[in-house]
Amino acid sequence: MAVDLSVEFCGLKLENPFVLAPSPSTDQLDLLIEAFDAGWAGAVLKTVAVDSSVVSRVFPLVMRIEQSGAFIGLQNIDLVSEHSVEFMEQMVVTLKNRFPNKVVIPSIMASTKEDWQSLTKRFVAAGADIIECSIWCPHGAEWGLCTKVQDPVGTEQIARWVKEAAGDVPVVIKLSAQDSDIIATAVAVERGGADGVCAINTIKSITGVNLDTLIPYPNVAGVSTYGGLSGPALKPIALRCTAEIAQNVDLDIASSGGITTWQDGAEFLLLGASTLQICTAVLRFGIGIIQELRAGLESWMEEKGFQSITEVIGRSLPYLVEHSQLPRGIQVVSQIQSELCNGCRSCLTACRTGGNNAIIWREGFPQVIMNKCIGCGICRAMCFEKAITLVRPSGAVNTSKIQF
């Protein structure tokens, strides 16, 4: 069965849902050419302002964030592109001439109606397929290139300004998970006439503190600042935002935040995304990651019987309900698979400190006291070997089709 990876986004057809997010990778023409040749469907250029040169770079720009040696994200203190608007216009022209079927998306940032509309008109004239608006940034707002807070009223106004200037060219508004009500802001985007949203921007963060010097990271000549968190740590938040937006507004969604594998991408599509913007994974693994992303998604779709991306988008949304609508009275208990258990005792500790003290240690192996287990799942959550499953106790009504 042939699988079609193409997707409709804001009225445009993309050959697949994978798009480069605005980043250092999309600020270099040679890398963009390499990416399009490799199979990326499009790219969002690094954000540009009317006068990007007002912000001079500081170094280092990026810090790794890890937990127990595992990579969980990056924090960056980079801001807008240092390239001029003229340079970025020419980049759009060059890319569209060479790759007419790829989607080229300038990302713009401004603080006045005149600047929002001026940038929009210039990039539309250069041949941009979509205009993406970066209204709020997690750091550096004091430079005056973006708003300090993304609120529904201001966002609606900017969406209307930009759409007015863009004409038939689609407009996408980038949203922040730090918004107190991202649904209200998405609704405001819809009222403002924009065609889609990108969710989410990086999240304002601090990487950590050097316990020897007492200076937070990154250390820039003895001082530090807040930055934007990206990477795997953002995935649960970005998934939530994608689903909430999809359930409440009729806008196309470009999801961004923590997408590293094709499995991640499939989850975002199932929760309502149409396209997938990727940055941190590209910085880690290179432009060539697109081959694995496309092949993995295509293989999964074949296995599940999906013939097109359209059949995947939003497929999991009906399973998301309000907490009050969750089924009550279904009892489950933990079951430990001895062949997978490595004897780390994590389940024992978790059950004693946060569960119902239903796990005992006997002859070098954890055992569940069935009449004490309430099925909370804390032990399963703490088991890195995936040796614990939740099952219906013997004698319960058959629910073999339910996966706990």
Side-chain angles (χ1 to χ4, degrees):
M1 179 186 69
V3 169
D4 183 8
L5 288 184
S6 67
V7 64
E8 292 278 337
F9 180 70
C10 294
L12 301 174
K13 186 173 182 178
L14 283 72
E15 62 190 74
N16 63 67
F18 299 109
V19 175
L20 289 171
S23 69
S25 303
T26 62
D27 207 30
Q28 304 176 52
L29 182 59
D30 57 341
L31 278 177
L32 287 166
I33 291 172
E34 180 185 343
F36 285 172
D37 282 335
W40 291 87
V44 184
L45 307 185
K46 190 173 180 181
T47 305
V48 67
V50 171
D51 187 7
S52 293
S53 62
V54 70
V55 182
S56 59
R57 279 179 162 181
V58 295
F59 301 96
L61 287 169
V62 180
M63 287 293 299
R64 172 191 178 98
I65 302 174
E66 58 183 47
Q67 182 70 39
S68 301
F71 178 92
I72 61 172
L74 293 177
Q75 184 208 46
N76 83 85
I77 58 171
D78 200 4
L79 294 172
V80 293
S81 171
E82 287 193 313
H83 293 314
S84 65
V85 177
E86 291 77 13
F87 183 95
M88 300 299 278
E89 284 176 304
Q90 188 55 51
M91 188 181 291
V92 173
V93 171
T94 301
L95 290 170
K96 288 307 299 180
N97 284 339
R98 183 161 177 171
F99 301 98
N101 295 321
K102 302 290 185 177
V103 176
V104 179
I105 310 171
S107 172
I108 63 174
M109 178 183 288
S111 57
T112 67
K113 176 182 179 179
E114 292 71 24
D115 286 348
W116 280 113
Q117 294 195 329
S118 172
L119 285 170
T120 300
K121 290 176 181 177
R122 291 178 67 170
F123 282 114
V124 167
D129 295 294
I130 297 172
I131 302 295
E132 183 171 293
C133 302
S134 187
I135 295 174
W136 176 89
C137 53
H139 51 282
E142 72 272 15
W143 288 99
L145 298 176
C146 61
T147 61
K148 292 186 177 181
V149 178
Q150 186 170 17
D151 68 283
V153 174
T155 302
E156 179 180 349
Q157 185 178 58
I158 292 170
R160 187 169 284 112
W161 289 342
V162 175
K163 188 58 186 175
E164 181 182 285
D168 293 333
V169 174
V171 172
V172 169
I173 307 297
K174 195 162 192 175
L175 302 183
S176 166
Q178 291 181 227
D179 192 327
S180 60
D181 189 344
I182 198 169
I183 297 174
T185 305
V187 170
V189 169
E190 191 173 32
R191 284 198 306 265
D195 304 271
V197 295
C198 177
I200 55 175
N201 207 336
T202 55
I203 294 179
K204 192 173 185 178
S205 60
I206 295 175
T207 305
V209 179
N210 185 308
L211 298 184
D212 293 322
T213 66
L214 312 186
I215 300 171
Y217 300 108
N219 183 333
V220 182
V223 292
S224 189
T225 191
Y226 301 95
L229 174 64
S230 66
L234 260 63
K235 179 186 168 185
I237 301 170
L239 282 172
R240 182 268 296 179
C241 292
T242 295
E244 286 188 332
I245 294 167
Q247 287 180 320
N248 289 279
V249 298
D250 187 22
L251 290 171
D252 285 347
I253 304 170
S255 284
S256 180
I259 303 172
T260 304
T261 65
W262 69 262
Q263 292 96 328
D264 296 331
E267 291 177 46
F268 278 93
L269 292 169
L270 288 166
L271 290 177
S274 295
T275 57
L276 309 164
Q277 292 189 17
I278 302 176
C279 167
T280 302
V282 175
L283 299 178
R284 291 181 69 193
F285 304 114
I287 294 294
I289 192 178
I290 185 62
Q291 305 301 332
E292 182 179 339
L293 294 171
R294 291 194 311 177
L297 182 61
E298 184 175 8
S299 178
W300 171 77
M301 288 174 61
E302 288 179 351
E303 179 185 332
K304 300 299 291 184
F306 295 124
Q307 292 184 288
S308 69
I309 294 291
T310 303
E311 297 176 37
V312 178
I313 295 174
R315 191 67 174 263
S316 294
L317 290 174
Y319 300 108
L320 276 175
V321 298
E322 296 294 334
H323 192 281
S324 59
Q325 296 176 280
L326 293 174
R328 262 62 182 179
I330 298 178
Q331 178 61 48
V332 294
V333 294
S334 296
Q335 178 175 279
I336 302 173
Q337 297 172 265
S338 58
E339 67 275 13
L340 298 178
C341 178
N342 66 355
C344 70
R345 293 178 179 255
S346 293
C347 59
L348 182 69
T349 301
C351 192
R352 283 183 175 175
T353 54
N356 208 43
N357 203 20
I359 296 179
I360 60 174
W361 198 261
R362 182 175 293 166
E363 298 178 356
F365 183 73
Q367 295 185 23
V368 179
I369 305 173
M370 292 299 179
N371 62 1
K372 293 188 68 175
C373 180
I374 60 174
C376 67
I378 291 179
C379 59
R380 182 179 66 170
M382 293 298 180
C383 180
F384 286 95
E385 301 300 319
K386 297 183 179 180
I388 301 177
T389 55
L390 298 179
V391 299
R392 295 302 307 274
S394 58
V397 177
N398 181 22
T399 55
S400 57
K401 293 184 179 180
I402 299 177
Q403 295 185 16
F404 298 102

PDB file of all heavy atoms in Angstrom, residues 241-251 253 271-273 314 317:
ATOM      1  N   CYS A 241      -0.274  21.843  24.359  1.00  0.00           N
ATOM      2  CA  CYS A 241      -0.688  23.059  23.651  1.00  0.00           C
ATOM      3  C   CYS A 241      -1.279  22.717  22.287  1.00  0.00           C
ATOM      4  O   CYS A 241      -2.298  23.287  21.882  1.00  0.00           O
ATOM      5  CB  CYS A 241       0.500  24.011  23.505  1.00  0.00           C
ATOM      6  SG  CYS A 241       1.073  24.721  25.060  1.00  0.00           S
ATOM      7  N   THR A 242      -0.652  21.790  21.580  1.00  0.00           N
ATOM      8  CA  THR A 242      -1.166  21.373  20.270  1.00  0.00           C
ATOM      9  C   THR A 242      -2.586  20.837  20.402  1.00  0.00           C
ATOM     10  O   THR A 242      -3.492  21.224  19.640  1.00  0.00           O
ATOM     11  CB  THR A 242      -0.249  20.291  19.661  1.00  0.00           C
ATOM     12  OG1 THR A 242       1.036  20.860  19.390  1.00  0.00           O
ATOM     13  CG2 THR A 242      -0.838  19.745  18.368  1.00  0.00           C
ATOM     14  N   ALA A 243      -2.806  19.958  21.354  1.00  0.00           N
ATOM     15  CA  ALA A 243      -4.125  19.351  21.529  1.00  0.00           C
ATOM     16  C   ALA A 243      -5.172  20.380  21.932  1.00  0.00           C
ATOM     17  O   ALA A 243      -6.296  20.388  21.393  1.00  0.00           O
ATOM     18  CB  ALA A 243      -4.049  18.235  22.576  1.00  0.00           C
ATOM     19  N   GLU A 244      -4.824  21.262  22.871  1.00  0.00           N
ATOM     20  CA  GLU A 244      -5.794  22.270  23.319  1.00  0.00           C
ATOM     21  C   GLU A 244      -6.198  23.191  22.180  1.00  0.00           C
ATOM     22  O   GLU A 244      -7.377  23.542  22.029  1.00  0.00           O
ATOM     23  CB  GLU A 244      -5.210  23.078  24.473  1.00  0.00           C
ATOM     24  CG  GLU A 244      -5.168  22.332  25.791  1.00  0.00           C
ATOM     25  CD  GLU A 244      -4.766  23.219  26.954  1.00  0.00           C
ATOM     26  OE1 GLU A 244      -4.034  24.213  26.737  1.00  0.00           O
ATOM     27  OE2 GLU A 244      -5.188  22.926  28.089  1.00  0.00           O
ATOM     28  N   ILE A 245      -5.231  23.599  21.386  1.00  0.00           N
ATOM     29  CA  ILE A 245      -5.542  24.473  20.253  1.00  0.00           C
ATOM     30  C   ILE A 245      -6.410  23.737  19.246  1.00  0.00           C
ATOM     31  O   ILE A 245      -7.411  24.260  18.749  1.00  0.00           O
ATOM     32  CB  ILE A 245      -4.245  24.986  19.601  1.00  0.00           C
ATOM     33  CG1 ILE A 245      -3.485  25.894  20.570  1.00  0.00           C
ATOM     34  CG2 ILE A 245      -4.554  25.747  18.307  1.00  0.00           C
ATOM     35  CD1 ILE A 245      -2.063  26.198  20.137  1.00  0.00           C
ATOM     36  N   ALA A 246      -6.034  22.495  18.926  1.00  0.00           N
ATOM     37  CA  ALA A 246      -6.784  21.713  17.947  1.00  0.00           C
ATOM     38  C   ALA A 246      -8.226  21.477  18.376  1.00  0.00           C
ATOM     39  O   ALA A 246      -9.133  21.414  17.533  1.00  0.00           O
ATOM     40  CB  ALA A 246      -6.092  20.377  17.704  1.00  0.00           C
ATOM     41  N   GLN A 247      -8.453  21.353  19.669  1.00  0.00           N
ATOM     42  CA  GLN A 247      -9.799  21.093  20.166  1.00  0.00           C
ATOM     43  C   GLN A 247     -10.668  22.342  20.239  1.00  0.00           C
ATOM     44  O   GLN A 247     -11.882  22.242  20.396  1.00  0.00           O
ATOM     45  CB  GLN A 247      -9.734  20.448  21.553  1.00  0.00           C
ATOM     46  CG  GLN A 247      -9.271  19.001  21.551  1.00  0.00           C
ATOM     47  CD  GLN A 247      -9.233  18.404  22.955  1.00  0.00           C
ATOM     48  OE1 GLN A 247      -8.845  19.055  23.916  1.00  0.00           O
ATOM     49  NE2 GLN A 247      -9.638  17.148  23.052  1.00  0.00           N
ATOM     50  N   ASN A 248     -10.042  23.517  20.115  1.00  0.00           N
ATOM     51  CA  ASN A 248     -10.804  24.742  20.373  1.00  0.00           C
ATOM     52  C   ASN A 248     -10.850  25.752  19.238  1.00  0.00           C
ATOM     53  O   ASN A 248     -11.679  26.655  19.279  1.00  0.00           O
ATOM     54  CB  ASN A 248     -10.241  25.431  21.624  1.00  0.00           C
ATOM     55  CG  ASN A 248     -10.561  24.693  22.900  1.00  0.00           C
ATOM     56  OD1 ASN A 248     -11.657  24.824  23.446  1.00  0.00           O
ATOM     57  ND2 ASN A 248      -9.622  23.880  23.372  1.00  0.00           N
ATOM     58  N   VAL A 249      -9.999  25.636  18.244  1.00  0.00           N
ATOM     59  CA  VAL A 249     -10.037  26.580  17.123  1.00  0.00           C
ATOM     60  C   VAL A 249      -9.886  25.844  15.799  1.00  0.00           C
ATOM     61  O   VAL A 249      -9.372  24.726  15.750  1.00  0.00           O
ATOM     62  CB  VAL A 249      -8.925  27.658  17.234  1.00  0.00           C
ATOM     63  CG1 VAL A 249      -9.086  28.497  18.487  1.00  0.00           C
ATOM     64  CG2 VAL A 249      -7.543  27.021  17.187  1.00  0.00           C
ATOM     65  N   ASP A 250     -10.327  26.486  14.748  1.00  0.00           N
ATOM     66  CA  ASP A 250     -10.231  25.902  13.411  1.00  0.00           C
ATOM     67  C   ASP A 250      -9.070  26.553  12.662  1.00  0.00           C
ATOM     68  O   ASP A 250      -9.252  27.296  11.704  1.00  0.00           O
ATOM     69  CB  ASP A 250     -11.544  26.115  12.659  1.00  0.00           C
ATOM     70  CG  ASP A 250     -11.574  25.394  11.317  1.00  0.00           C
ATOM     71  OD1 ASP A 250     -10.796  24.426  11.163  1.00  0.00           O
ATOM     72  OD2 ASP A 250     -12.358  25.800  10.439  1.00  0.00           O
ATOM     73  N   LEU A 251      -7.862  26.284  13.144  1.00  0.00           N
ATOM     74  CA  LEU A 251      -6.653  26.822  12.528  1.00  0.00           C
ATOM     75  C   LEU A 251      -5.679  25.679  12.267  1.00  0.00           C
ATOM     76  O   LEU A 251      -5.619  24.718  13.035  1.00  0.00           O
ATOM     77  CB  LEU A 251      -5.973  27.839  13.459  1.00  0.00           C
ATOM     78  CG  LEU A 251      -6.659  29.181  13.684  1.00  0.00           C
ATOM     79  CD1 LEU A 251      -5.950  29.944  14.798  1.00  0.00           C
ATOM     80  CD2 LEU A 251      -6.676  30.009  12.405  1.00  0.00           C
ATOM     81  N   ILE A 253      -2.142  23.941  12.458  1.00  0.00           N
ATOM     82  CA  ILE A 253      -1.154  24.011  13.533  1.00  0.00           C
ATOM     83  C   ILE A 253       0.191  23.492  13.057  1.00  0.00           C
ATOM     84  O   ILE A 253       0.297  22.371  12.549  1.00  0.00           O
ATOM     85  CB  ILE A 253      -1.605  23.194  14.761  1.00  0.00           C
ATOM     86  CG1 ILE A 253      -2.971  23.667  15.252  1.00  0.00           C
ATOM     87  CG2 ILE A 253      -0.564  23.280  15.877  1.00  0.00           C
ATOM     88  CD1 ILE A 253      -3.582  22.756  16.308  1.00  0.00           C
ATOM     89  N   LEU A 271      -2.384  14.463  17.546  1.00  0.00           N
ATOM     90  CA  LEU A 271      -3.052  15.432  18.420  1.00  0.00           C
ATOM     91  C   LEU A 271      -3.396  16.737  17.702  1.00  0.00           C
ATOM     92  O   LEU A 271      -3.739  17.722  18.341  1.00  0.00           O
ATOM     93  CB  LEU A 271      -2.178  15.718  19.651  1.00  0.00           C
ATOM     94  CG  LEU A 271      -2.071  14.550  20.636  1.00  0.00           C
ATOM     95  CD1 LEU A 271      -1.139  14.891  21.784  1.00  0.00           C
ATOM     96  CD2 LEU A 271      -3.447  14.159  21.176  1.00  0.00           C
ATOM     97  N   GLY A 272      -3.305  16.735  16.371  1.00  0.00           N
ATOM     98  CA  GLY A 272      -3.842  17.868  15.632  1.00  0.00           C
ATOM     99  C   GLY A 272      -2.881  18.692  14.814  1.00  0.00           C
ATOM    100  O   GLY A 272      -3.304  19.621  14.118  1.00  0.00           O
ATOM    101  N   ALA A 273      -1.584  18.428  14.881  1.00  0.00           N
ATOM    102  CA  ALA A 273      -0.622  19.201  14.094  1.00  0.00           C
ATOM    103  C   ALA A 273      -0.713  18.815  12.623  1.00  0.00           C
ATOM    104  O   ALA A 273      -1.009  17.666  12.286  1.00  0.00           O
ATOM    105  CB  ALA A 273       0.793  18.963  14.601  1.00  0.00           C
ATOM    106  N   GLY A 314      -5.087  14.595  14.085  1.00  0.00           N
ATOM    107  CA  GLY A 314      -6.183  14.704  15.042  1.00  0.00           C
ATOM    108  C   GLY A 314      -6.832  13.391  15.422  1.00  0.00           C
ATOM    109  O   GLY A 314      -7.839  13.388  16.152  1.00  0.00           O
ATOM    110  N   LEU A 317      -7.462  12.902  19.195  1.00  0.00           N
ATOM    111  CA  LEU A 317      -8.179  13.932  19.960  1.00  0.00           C
ATOM    112  C   LEU A 317      -9.468  13.428  20.617  1.00  0.00           C
ATOM    113  O   LEU A 317      -9.779  13.847  21.742  1.00  0.00           O
ATOM    114  CB  LEU A 317      -8.487  15.135  19.061  1.00  0.00           C
ATOM    115  CG  LEU A 317      -7.269  15.978  18.653  1.00  0.00           C
ATOM    116  CD1 LEU A 317      -7.681  17.050  17.651  1.00  0.00           C
ATOM    117  CD2 LEU A 317      -6.613  16.617  19.876  1.00  0.00           C
TER     118      LEU A 317
END
